[in-house]
Amino acid sequence: MIALRHVPRLLALDGGGVRGLSSLLIVERLMKEVQRLREEEGDPSPDGKPPLPCQYFDLICGTSTGGLIAIMLGRLRMVSRSPSFLIWSLISQPVDVCIQNYLEFSKAVFRLDRNMLVPVGEGYSRFSPEPLEKALKKVVSDNTESNDPETPLADPRNEICRVFVVSTRGKDAGPIKLFRSYGFYKDECPIWQAARATTAAPTYFPPAWVTVPSPAEWYIDGGVTQNNPSPIALKEGKELWKARRCLLVSVGTGIQKRADLVGNKNTPQDNPNESPALSGLVEAARSAVGISNVGSTQPSPGGMMQNAGLKFGGIIKKSASLIADKAVQLGRFPGGFFTTTRFLRELVKLSTESEKTHNTLDAEARSKDVSAQFRYYRFNVQNGMDDTGLEEWQNWDLMASLTRNYLDSSEVSARLTECARNLLHPPGLESM
């Protein structure tokens, strides 16, 4: 590995479904600011275009949607000039063309089976993984020299930019697994399988089956355990380069505000012929997610939502209500009722995890102990993203508008300039 002369520059990308569009717009603006500073210093880009993120970050990582973006920008070396983060094959075309194709692509990936709104039985979910897997294989084929859709994540050119994505082992929220493109233990599994593993959100997509190495294993969305991968990035950067400090840029997918739990009035509980056993199961499911009664938007006193105050995308609102209202099906969910409620608890925790992680890192970066300080930048749209669920591609225009308004604010703009300047002229490496 080539020794760095500057502090490791790290980019960490949160999970958040289609809200990853916001993350890409932020990265796009950051790269444009690097370009502007270069031109200001008399050193413009040779092609007159913004530089690639892989040219200014030594490590790019992500969880879930952030993992997809990390693979695109770091492993496949794609540009961030288009906000259409799933239209890789059309990345060089005009933005409006890319957006239109992105919308069509999203419709294909997020095909809602209205007869199966709650996952029941082994491997069922709201969306089929086949369109996503097909698209992932295509982008790998279209953007690798070998044109092989089975190209491994392990990168023979890992001196350029290292990449890892966060996943969770097993079907039941097990330990974290990092799929790495670099190092002695880099992963030889196909790129598309690593991408599936980091995005297999419970109730949205089935678990991912990763076949390399043997024996194969199941994985689910990394967001179940670490939706904001920034602390892992910091640890990896220090260990990789034996660095005392790093420059960390963390990008979110928009802050989620107060939970919006709206009960469905047409639930099994309203059925006068409903059995006492089913009523008890419905109430147990509602209690587990903090819904006091049908139609109520207030959490029950002892409910798990009481102190959450936030929602994680659209998962809590939709999945929790659906699971409660169709509790009779929970017995056929892999692991049964207790596994289902455990997933819900994890999702509730994730509603606040990303910002709590940010607050912890921010405090560390500003530590009174000068030797512990490091350069840290967090960009995350503060308002308006509440009503965009993980799969709600229809809100692309709202997401773009909210993100650009956020980036145009004077405070964020100044912070972007400071961040870009540090990327362009990073401090020297301080070895451990």
Side-chain angles (χ1 to χ4, degrees):
M1 180 168 57
I2 297 175
L4 292 180
R5 295 185 178 181
H6 54 73
V7 296
R9 299 166 297 183
L10 320 174
L11 174 61
L13 302 157
D14 287 10
V18 297
R19 295 195 305 273
L21 168 63
S22 178
S23 300
L24 260 185
L25 286 169
I26 291 170
V27 174
E28 176 191 43
R29 181 69 66 90
L30 182 59
M31 291 298 99
K32 285 183 176 179
E33 187 62 13
V34 170
Q35 177 193 23
R36 187 188 70 81
L37 292 175
R38 285 187 58 173
E39 292 179 356
E40 192 176 82
E41 295 175 4
D43 181 30
S45 302
D47 60 358
K49 297 178 180 178
L52 305 181
C54 62
Q55 295 172 316
Y56 282 89
F57 287 102
D58 305 296
L59 173 69
I60 301 178
C61 69
T63 297
S64 194
T65 283
L68 288 178
I69 297 173
I71 287 172
M72 291 191 308
L73 300 182
R75 177 62 179 88
L76 298 177
R77 317 286 195 260
M78 292 183 180
V79 300
S80 61
R81 296 168 195 144
S82 167
S84 308
F85 76 96
L86 291 177
I87 298 300
W88 305 285
S89 60
L90 298 174
I91 202 76
S92 62
Q93 293 195 24
V95 173
D96 57 343
V97 175
C98 290
I99 288 176
Q100 183 58 43
N101 282 274
Y102 163 65
L103 294 174
E104 293 174 3
F105 179 90
S106 298
K107 290 178 185 178
V109 170
F110 293 107
R111 294 184 305 183
L112 181 60
D113 182 350
R114 298 184 183 279
N115 295 320
M116 199 185 306
L117 290 174
V118 177
V120 292
E122 187 69 23
Y124 285 91
S125 59
R126 292 182 65 193
F127 301 102
S128 168
E130 293 177 2
L132 177 58
E133 291 176 0
K134 182 178 179 181
L136 290 172
K137 291 177 182 179
K138 185 177 188 305
V139 68
V140 173
S141 177
D142 289 349
N143 291 279
T144 52
E145 294 179 3
S146 63
N147 299 121
D148 181 5
E150 301 295 321
T151 297
L153 181 66
D155 191 351
R157 308 165 299 170
N158 66 4
E159 302 299 339
I160 300 175
C161 180
R162 293 148 191 82
V163 171
F164 74 78
V165 299
V166 183
S167 187
T168 305
R169 287 187 186 275
K171 298 180 180 180
D172 187 23
I176 285 176
K177 156 68 178 175
L178 302 186
F179 287 90
R180 296 179 174 93
S181 70
Y182 56 89
F184 184 80
Y185 294 106
K186 58 189 174 184
D187 287 273
E188 298 290 344
C189 69
I191 293 173
W192 73 265
Q193 287 190 8
R196 266 286 285 127
T198 192
T199 57
T203 80
Y204 276 70
F205 291 104
W209 183 242
V210 176
T211 58
V212 179
S214 181
E217 288 187 76
W218 291 105
Y219 293 90
I220 60 174
D221 194 324
V224 171
T225 46
Q226 190 72 56
N227 199 56
N228 180 344
S230 298
I232 305 176
L234 197 58
K235 182 174 182 291
E236 282 281 298
K238 289 181 177 181
E239 291 180 355
L240 267 174
W241 288 283
K242 311 299 180 187
R244 185 180 301 275
R245 306 176 201 270
C246 296
L247 192 167
L248 175 60
V249 180
S250 176
V251 181
T253 59
I255 291 178
Q256 298 296 295
K257 301 293 185 181
R258 190 171 305 278
D260 180 19
L261 297 173
V262 181
N264 182 348
K265 294 182 179 180
N266 298 315
T267 65
Q269 186 177 356
D270 293 328
N271 184 352
N273 297 319
E274 179 183 290
S275 70
L278 180 55
S279 294
L281 186 55
V282 171
E283 284 306 306
R286 287 186 171 278
S287 176
V289 297
I291 303 176
S292 59
N293 51 59
V294 178
S296 172
T297 60
Q298 298 298 321
S300 60
M304 193 174 55
M305 288 291 196
Q306 185 174 10
N307 297 316
L310 303 173
K311 71 175 183 180
F312 179 61
I315 282 186
I316 295 173
K317 176 176 66 177
K318 297 175 182 177
S319 299
S321 295
L322 288 166
I323 287 174
D325 294 342
K326 295 177 182 275
V328 69
Q329 298 178 342
L330 290 177
R332 301 198 298 276
F333 186 77
F337 173 76
F338 293 105
T339 295
T340 305
T341 53
R342 178 179 176 184
F343 276 134
L344 289 174
R345 289 189 182 98
E346 294 292 338
L347 294 173
V348 171
K349 182 176 69 175
L350 286 176
S351 67
T352 56
E353 184 269 335
S354 287
E355 283 308 294
K356 283 184 177 179
T357 299
H358 156 59
N359 291 335
T360 299
L361 284 172
D362 190 54
E364 291 177 5
R366 302 169 185 269
S367 172
K368 292 181 180 179
D369 180 359
V370 177
S371 65
Q373 294 177 358
F374 61 95
R375 306 200 182 199
Y376 172 62
Y377 300 90
R378 170 74 170 174
F379 299 103
N380 196 21
V381 176
Q382 301 295 299
N383 300 296
M385 301 288 277
D386 301 69
D387 294 325
T388 300
L390 299 187
E391 84 290 10
E392 292 174 350
W393 51 266
Q394 301 96 326
N395 288 343
W396 67 270
D397 53 343
L398 175 62
M399 287 186 282
S401 177
L402 290 169
T403 303
R404 288 170 178 145
N405 289 340
Y406 165 77
L407 293 171
D408 288 341
S409 69
S410 58
E411 181 180 354
V412 174
S413 180
R415 190 81 171 148
L416 272 168
T417 298
E418 179 186 329
C419 180
R421 201 179 302 279
N422 275 282
L423 289 174
L424 189 58
H425 303 294
L429 178 69
E430 296 180 45
S431 299
M432 287 183 168

